[in-house]
Amino acid sequence: MSCQLYRSEIAEYEELKSRKTLTAMDAQTIAILQKDIENVNSVFTQLKETCGTASAVIMWMYYMEGKTQKEIADYFKIPKIQLSKTINQYEHAMFD
């Protein structure tokens, strides 16, 4: 869920941070958004360190950009079944 909201959370976070005056609710929202953004970034950094840059790129395309497995497989010129297995492996590395 955090991945799906990532871009909108960054936009909202930046908009709130740019305000000259913040309400208590704004400050609380900023803290929540910052934590969620940092969590997503941390997961992708850990994946990159564990499985390499390609893993982070593939999972970014899949989760953050909403690309289909077919689109990603075509982009990397690999069979979709191989990509599916690779995504499964990376998901375990990200979420286990």
Side-chain angles (χ1 to χ4, degrees), residues 32-86:
I32 291 167
L33 291 171
Q34 184 176 11
K35 183 178 178 184
D36 202 34
I37 291 165
E38 288 171 356
N39 183 48
V40 170
N41 288 337
S42 175
V43 167
F44 277 91
T45 297
Q46 181 180 352
L47 178 65
K48 181 180 175 183
E49 290 171 357
T50 303
C51 301
T53 302
S55 65
V57 171
I58 288 169
M59 297 308 277
W60 188 272
M61 291 173 77
Y62 188 62
Y63 279 102
M64 308 303 274
E65 295 178 7
K67 303 273 188 207
T68 65
Q69 289 187 16
K70 180 176 180 351
E71 290 171 323
I72 298 167
D74 290 347
Y75 179 82
F76 286 103
K77 297 177 178 35
I78 59 175
K80 185 180 171 289
I81 191 76
Q82 179 184 346
L83 178 71
S84 182
K85 290 176 183 178
T86 300

